[in-house]
């Protein structure tokens, strides 16, 4: 039998149902975020029993967003176990005749949209994976942190602690990165706070975070200088439960955690409650120079930032929130777009980390957004971001910090 075998019951997997339409055509339905009927966006599934060089068509039928980067060149990702073993080839873009369109299958007054694409499997009897964006699981993070803790050099200046436990009992980690102070003067270092992965489907934020950590934990002169001058507080994965179960946006409460920074309900949103408290504690000890929460963007190209500014911005240059994003755009002009940055504080965003931290008194309070697709800039125009590109954003972030200082 040549029927494909589908599976998504693995970490971060998401696929609910598959219907075989004819020999080489399959209709796929995604699972909504747990305990919601919404947020069908993230997909990650395995396909086995493949035939090479045959024209397959997959159609995912229950997307809910009217607009999609699939209309602007975004292509699905494919991973072949055979190619990974034989040729060391990892995730790559696939798909022709890609279309994203409104379908007739609305439910409860909601409109559904379909994504369809054709492709060929590279090998017979291979096991392949498809994904919305490069997967980065909770297990990937744990392996990364174990490697740091076992490294005799890195473990001296990077301390890993449990910030709290999630609803499902998973550890939410916090990293403190700074060189041991050489003198009393060194104890008044400013803090830089970074968080990522509050939205599980925005896996590109984890790759940016990895690039940042690789750089800051490295032995370059610049990394040394940054660790001499700052105390970095890093929460690499705010929503481990959502990541593990393959949600796109929510935690196990079915809520968007990035709207809960004003909430005092510690029991429902522990990672948010403890992060905010940790930041308050840090602000009591030292100046916080910058706060940044890293995200992926589903509808825009490029990398850009959202900041916060009052209508009457103070004149002194060092409090101006546009300086850091401008420096970042100079550091990677082919990926980061300063014109795409916005600094208005909208009512709908009042519960986000960026706005709450700004109101707590952190002037440089940002959301960093990276397109799930790619860049429209310079020599990178109309290309997809790959994992190395995303990691490089984290490195450029460090360069911009140095330039700023």
């Amino acid at each position: 039998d040549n029927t494909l075998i589908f599976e998504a019951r693995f970490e971060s997997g998401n696929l609910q149902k598959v219907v075989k339409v004819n020999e080489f055509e399959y209709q796929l339905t995604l699972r909504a975020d747990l305990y919601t009927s919404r947020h069908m966006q993230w997909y990650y599934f395995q396909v086995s029993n493949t035939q090479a060089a045959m024209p397959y068509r997959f159609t995912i039928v229950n997307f809910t967003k009217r607009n999609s980067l699939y209309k602007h060149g975004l292509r699905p990702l494919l991973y072949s176990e055979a190619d990974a073993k034989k040729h060391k080839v990892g995730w790559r873009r696939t798909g022709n005749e890609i279309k994203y369109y409104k379908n007739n299958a609305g439910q409860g007054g909601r409109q559904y949209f379909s994504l369809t694409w054709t492709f060929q499997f590279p090998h017979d009897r291979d096991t392949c994976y498809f994904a919305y964006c490069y997967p980065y699981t909770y297990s990937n993070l744990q392996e990364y942190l174990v490697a740091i803790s076992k490294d005799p050099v890195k473990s001296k200046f990077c301390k890993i602690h449990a910030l709290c436990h999630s609803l499902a009992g998973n550890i939410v980690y916090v990293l403190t990165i700074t060189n041991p102070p050489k003198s009393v003067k060194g104890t008044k270092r400013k803090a830089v706070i970074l968080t990522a992965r509050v939205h599980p489907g925005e896996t590109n934020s984890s790759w940016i975070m990895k690039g940042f950590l690789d750089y800051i934990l490295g032995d370059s002169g610049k990394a040394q200088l940054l660790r001499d001058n700052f105390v970095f507080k890093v929460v690499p994965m705010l929503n481990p439960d959502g990541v593990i179960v393959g949600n796109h946006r929510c935690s196990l409460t079915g809520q968007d955690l990035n709207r809960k920074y004003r909430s005092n309900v510690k029991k429902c949103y522990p990672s948010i409650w403890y992060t905010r408290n940790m930041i308050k504690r840090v602000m009591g000890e030292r100046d916080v120079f910058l706060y940044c929460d890293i995200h992926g963007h589903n509808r825009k190209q490029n990398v850009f930032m959202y900041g916060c500014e009052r209508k009457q911005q103070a004149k002194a240059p060092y409090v101006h929130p546009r300086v850091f994003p401008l420096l970042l755009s100079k550091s990677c002009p082919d990926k980061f777009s300063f014109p795409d940055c916005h600094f208005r504080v909208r009512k709908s965003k009042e519960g986000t980390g960026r706005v709450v931290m700004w109101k707590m008194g952190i002037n440089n309070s940002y959301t960093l957004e990276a397109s799930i697709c790619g860049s429209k800039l310079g020599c990178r125009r109309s290309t997809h971001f790959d994992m190395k590109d995303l990691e490089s954003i984290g490195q450029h972030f460090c360069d911009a910090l140095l330039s700023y200082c």
Side-chain angles (χ1 to χ4, degrees):
D1 184 2
N2 293 324
T3 302
L4 294 175
I5 299 163
F6 289 81
E7 180 57 85
R9 290 169 297 183
F10 51 79
E11 189 181 5
S12 294
N14 185 322
L15 184 65
Q16 181 170 301
K17 178 173 87 169
V18 182
V19 177
K20 185 176 181 181
V21 180
N22 58 45
E23 195 179 1
F24 296 110
E25 186 171 354
Y26 293 81
Q27 182 182 304
L28 287 65
T29 305
L30 304 183
R31 177 180 59 67
D33 280 11
L34 287 190
Y35 314 116
T36 78
S37 59
R38 298 172 38 228
H39 309 299
M40 285 74 82
Q41 190 86 23
W42 168 254
Y43 58 85
Y44 179 25
F45 57 87
Q46 181 197 76
V47 183
S48 50
N49 200 31
T50 63
Q51 288 182 71
M54 300 311 271
Y56 284 89
R57 179 179 288 281
F58 283 180
T59 305
I60 297 174
V61 296
N62 67 329
F63 284 111
T64 50
K65 284 191 160 71
R66 178 169 299 280
N67 244 327
S68 172
L69 285 166
Y70 287 114
K71 290 180 176 178
H72 305 283
L74 177 60
R75 299 169 77 207
L77 282 162
L78 167 75
Y79 181 98
S80 151
E81 283 190 356
D83 276 348
K85 235 187 226 108
K86 278 187 207 139
H87 310 295
K88 299 273 183 284
V89 173
W91 289 98
R92 59 174 137 185
R93 298 289 168 178
T94 188
N96 299 301
E97 301 169 46
I98 296 169
K99 291 186 181 59
Y100 188 90
Y101 57 93
K102 188 162 129 178
N103 63 37
N104 304 326
Q107 209 180 16
R110 180 175 298 138
Q111 183 61 59
Y112 282 143
F113 297 83
S114 292
L115 166 69
T116 187
W117 72 96
T118 59
F119 66 95
Q120 296 179 354
F121 286 110
H123 304 283
D124 280 326
R125 304 280 171 259
D126 191 6
T127 297
C128 291
Y129 294 83
F130 288 86
Y132 176 64
C133 189
Y134 304 98
Y136 191 100
T137 63
Y138 184 60
S139 296
N140 292 145
L141 174 67
Q142 288 180 306
E143 282 162 26
Y144 186 82
L145 296 181
V146 164
I148 294 171
S149 63
K150 286 185 173 165
D151 186 301
V153 179
K154 291 176 182 171
S155 56
K156 279 197 176 65
F157 52 73
C158 177
K159 303 296 177 208
I160 302 166
H161 294 288
L163 178 69
C164 63
H165 286 80
S166 68
L167 289 184
N170 295 300
I171 295 173
V172 178
Y173 295 97
V174 59
L175 283 55
T176 305
I177 303 164
T178 193
N179 281 340
K182 294 185 178 74
S183 66
V184 182
K185 196 168 127 272
T187 55
K188 268 300 152 214
R189 295 169 184 176
K190 291 186 175 180
V192 171
I193 297 163
L194 271 89
T195 59
R197 221 43 199 287
V198 73
H199 296 144
E202 296 169 12
T203 57
N204 44 359
S205 70
S206 281
W207 292 103
I208 293 173
M209 179 61 92
K210 180 184 179 299
F212 167 81
L213 288 170
D214 286 348
Y215 186 109
I216 209 79
L217 298 172
D219 51 12
S220 70
K222 289 176 170 180
Q224 297 276 6
L225 201 56
L226 284 165
R227 296 196 303 266
D228 281 340
N229 282 294
F230 291 108
V231 175
F232 293 91
K233 288 281 191 184
V234 179
V235 184
M237 197 174 277
L238 281 163
N239 188 356
D241 298 351
V243 169
I244 290 164
V245 300
N247 276 1
H248 177 65
R249 196 163 181 89
C250 299
S251 70
L252 293 189
T253 56
Q255 299 287 323
D256 178 349
L257 292 180
N258 197 34
R259 297 293 181 275
K260 298 296 173 191
Y261 278 90
R262 290 188 299 182
S263 166
N264 285 318
V265 189
K266 176 164 132 186
K267 200 169 104 206
C268 294
Y269 320 117
S271 65
I272 299 304
W273 193 90
Y274 279 96
T275 296
R276 190 185 61 198
N277 258 31
M278 176 268 289
I279 293 171
K280 275 186 185 155
R281 204 166 53 244
V282 172
M283 290 175 80
E285 292 164 7
R286 58 186 77 245
D287 280 348
V288 175
F289 173 66
L290 180 145
Y291 160 89
C292 185
D293 186 26
I294 310 172
H295 287 251
H297 207 285
N298 300 303
R299 291 195 296 276
K300 283 185 176 171
Q301 305 272 25
N302 304 328
V303 182
F304 49 93
M305 288 179 110
Y306 295 136
C308 306
E309 65 187 12
R310 291 177 179 80
K311 288 196 172 65
Q312 275 69 47
Q313 188 65 31
K315 286 289 180 282
Y318 57 86
V319 293
H320 209 295
R322 295 180 184 234
V323 176
F324 184 78
L326 185 65
L327 289 170
L328 194 44
S329 73
K330 302 264 189 262
S331 181
C332 51
D334 54 351
K335 300 184 195 80
F336 190 100
S337 164
F338 186 69
D340 285 332
C341 297
H342 291 289
F343 300 88
R344 276 210 341 261
V345 177
R346 303 231 300 275
K347 193 117 191 81
S348 62
K349 301 287 160 88
E350 302 242 311
T352 61
R354 163 178 65 104
V355 176
V356 170
M357 298 316 155
W358 177 62
K359 288 189 169 166
M360 272 165 48
I362 301 173
N363 254 319
N364 290 323
S365 183
Y366 302 105
T367 306
L368 177 68
E369 296 273 4
S371 174
I372 219 93
C373 182
S375 173
K376 291 201 291 190
L377 305 168
C379 62
R380 292 304 308 270
R381 193 181 175 81
S382 303
T383 61
H384 284 88
F385 291 142
D386 61 21
M387 288 180 276
K388 285 278 164 277
D389 288 326
L390 295 167
E391 288 177 17
S392 78
I393 304 297
Q395 294 156 8
H396 289 303
F397 190 94
C398 295
D399 288 336
L401 262 183
L402 270 179
S403 316
Y404 198 119
C405 301

